[in-house]
Amino acid sequence: MKAVPIVNKDGLYLEDTLVDDAFFGVVPFYITPEADPEAEETPEPVIAGYTVGIPVTPGLFRPRFDLAAWEAYKDVVTSAEDAYNAAYAEWSKLPEEERGDPPIYVAPEQPTLWIEGLSPEEIEEITRPQPQEPTELELLSEEVEVIRQQTAQQQEAIDSSGIELAEVKAANADQQQTIGTIGTEQIKLDLSTLDLKLQNAVLGAELVKKDIAILDLQSQNQALGQMLAALELKLLANGTGGEPNV
């Protein structure tokens, strides 16, 4: 037994099937269409495709058997065989002493029967380089870089808040000094002193908010640092083929 290709009615390759080792040529196979319930006659079988005893040419994206070229080749072979048979018959009629060498049958050269079934545009589409998916190591590297950037931004925010806090503390100290000075002035400045005390209370509240904001940023920065360390360990483990001990 050997495997040979099966093609559809247009010659496009479908699959392989097993046949006897001596099989050669092209043989149609049939299907019977589904019967119409209202029709009285049973449908006749129709050609569904062909079993081809000629191996597929390698390198084709979608092999197609050229059925027209095959039919033309069969006609050429038949003509060559007829010519040989006629020549042999004439040679046989001659007396033995006149015959000489018998005619030799020379089979016609078989043309290319398997051709490309896809258009150039289709081939270009399927052979176009496709973007490669990033590896796990590359994804980890990208994630580590994102965490690093977030950590740097968070640290900048902490530093900026520290500067603002220092300014608020300085303003608060100046306000305290101003209140102390005003307290020694005449009674007509009492209203001004009260206004300054209110401003000082506002500054104190802002100072508390800044302290809380800095604590929150530091907590976030610490969490980002821990995440960065874990990812770097995992990245190192992937690069060396081991498993991180975290």
Side-chain angles (χ1 to χ4, degrees):
M1 302 293 287
K2 65 179 180 179
V4 296
I6 289 177
V7 301
N8 64 12
K9 291 190 298 182
D10 297 322
L12 291 172
Y13 172 84
L14 298 176
E15 60 182 356
D16 284 346
T17 188
L18 291 176
V19 297
D20 187 83
D21 288 335
F23 178 82
F24 181 77
V26 178
V27 177
F29 59 89
Y30 299 81
I31 59 172
T32 301
E34 185 176 351
D36 185 350
E38 298 180 359
E40 297 180 358
E41 297 181 357
T42 301
E44 292 291 331
V46 296
I47 294 177
Y50 300 87
T51 302
V52 179
I54 301 169
V56 176
T57 302
L60 298 174
F61 290 95
R62 189 178 185 191
R64 183 168 73 86
F65 188 75
D66 193 337
L67 294 166
W70 168 252
E71 292 298 328
Y73 173 64
K74 285 200 306 180
D75 291 342
V76 172
V77 170
T78 299
S79 298
E81 290 175 347
D82 290 344
Y84 167 76
N85 290 332
Y88 190 86
E90 290 295 327
W91 175 83
S92 299
K93 293 177 183 178
L94 294 173
E96 290 188 9
E97 63 275 8
E98 298 180 10
R99 285 182 182 177
D101 294 332
I104 299 174
Y105 173 75
V106 178
E109 183 179 356
Q110 181 176 289
T112 299
L113 297 173
W114 285 101
I115 58 177
E116 180 57 64
L118 294 182
S119 67
E121 293 77 16
E122 290 172 324
I123 293 175
E124 181 181 0
E125 179 65 26
I126 64 175
T127 56
R128 182 178 299 151
Q130 299 297 321
Q132 294 183 349
E133 292 293 329
T135 64
E136 183 179 358
L137 195 61
E138 290 171 338
L139 291 174
L140 283 172
S141 298
E142 291 177 3
E143 192 171 351
V144 166
E145 184 58 31
V146 170
I147 296 298
R148 282 177 176 166
Q149 293 177 2
Q150 290 178 345
T151 301
Q153 293 172 356
Q154 204 73 300
Q155 187 60 49
E156 288 179 5
I158 291 173
D159 295 341
S160 176
S161 296
I163 294 172
E164 292 180 5
L165 179 60
E167 292 175 351
V168 170
K169 286 181 178 179
N172 185 55
D174 292 342
Q175 204 72 293
Q176 289 286 2
Q177 185 177 0
T178 302
I179 291 173
T181 302
I182 291 177
T184 62
E185 294 182 358
Q186 298 176 1
I187 191 65
K188 63 180 180 180
L189 298 176
D190 285 347
L191 291 175
S192 177
T193 302
L194 178 60
D195 181 60
L196 287 171
K197 286 182 178 180
L198 289 173
Q199 292 180 35
N200 192 56
V202 172
L203 286 170
E206 186 175 348
L207 182 61
V208 171
K209 288 171 62 179
K210 290 293 182 181
D211 283 333
I212 292 174
I214 287 178
L215 287 173
D216 182 59
L217 287 171
Q218 289 175 338
S219 175
Q220 294 179 32
N221 199 47
Q222 183 179 6
L224 285 171
Q226 293 173 350
M227 187 183 302
L228 179 60
L231 285 171
E232 286 178 334
L233 285 175
K234 186 174 181 182
L235 183 61
L236 181 58
N238 274 273
T240 59
E243 290 293 333
N245 186 19
V246 294

